[in-house]
Amino acid sequence: PAPLGYSCAGEVIGVSEGVENFKVGDFVACGGKGAYHADVIAVSENLAVKVPKNIDLKYASIATIASIAMQGIRQANIKIGESCMIIGMGLIGQLTYKLVESAGAFPIGVDISKDQVSFVKKNGIKDVFHRKSKELINILNIKSDGNGVDSVIIAAATNSLDPVNFAGEVARKKGRVVIVGAVPTGFDR
């Protein structure tokens, strides 16, 4: 058993001796070790950031998760008009999809769970497909002019090498592949 979560937000109720950046009453977003889903947590000073009082803490609570999505996009070096496949449509995959879309690129979501694909589509993400869908090949060819996608962001938490192998199959020549989810066993970034 392990504590759940690594991204949260709340109000500072106490500070340790030597902490200079925070005071009781500050709103903070926290990430990493100690940023668990709990009523009271303790995190290192460098794992917290002040949140302006006018920002709802429910939005600040996903700052760490959103930063993972943003880092994947930055590493993939996605440009306006490019195509990007996001493998894994959990929370990080969905955030990645919406950020890629907002940046003027063309995201394509993929997941191995038909239930997750249905759920995501109901929440307004249109180009998302089951990994084994025949539609997926058609949309890939349309969005990439038959050349393969410009980049692939793997946001799937799995020990399987399938997402990595699939990324290699769908990426264009010299396409970019970034892993933001758990690294499969036996695979070195």
Side-chain angles (χ1 to χ4, degrees), residues 41-163:
I41 62 161
V43 296
S44 299
E45 184 175 13
N46 66 335
L47 296 178
V49 63
K50 284 186 184 177
V51 175
K53 296 271 186 190
N54 64 333
I55 301 295
D56 191 320
L57 288 178
K58 73 180 176 185
Y59 299 119
S61 70
I62 64 164
T64 301
I65 296 165
S67 71
I68 293 167
M70 288 172 51
Q71 176 69 353
I73 292 166
R74 188 191 68 75
Q75 287 180 327
N77 195 24
I78 297 169
K79 296 172 182 61
I80 294 172
E82 288 190 335
S83 57
C84 175
M85 175 176 283
I86 297 102
I87 300 175
M89 293 307 295
L91 181 56
I92 292 172
Q94 291 173 56
L95 286 169
T96 303
Y97 185 105
K98 295 308 279 183
L99 289 168
V100 167
E101 187 175 57
S102 333
F106 301 105
I108 303 163
V110 177
D111 202 279
I112 60 170
S113 166
K114 289 181 181 178
D115 290 339
Q116 187 66 12
V117 168
S118 294
F119 173 76
V120 171
K121 282 185 175 186
K122 286 178 189 169
N123 286 311
I125 294 179
K126 57 182 178 174
D127 286 332
V128 61
F129 304 91
H130 183 263
R131 165 73 170 81
K132 301 290 185 186
S133 166
K134 289 186 168 104
E135 278 183 292
L136 179 57
I137 300 306
N138 292 335
I139 198 75
L140 280 172
N141 286 327
I142 291 167
K143 297 273 184 174
S144 71
D145 294 325
N147 297 314
V149 294
D150 297 300
S151 59
V152 180
I153 298 175
I154 301 172
T158 180
N159 283 331
S160 170
L161 287 174
D162 182 66

Side-chain angles (χ1 to χ4, degrees), residues 168-182:
E169 292 170 21
V170 299
R172 68 170 168 76
K173 188 176 182 179
K174 296 191 179 184
R176 301 169 303 275
V177 177
V178 174
I179 300 173
V180 297

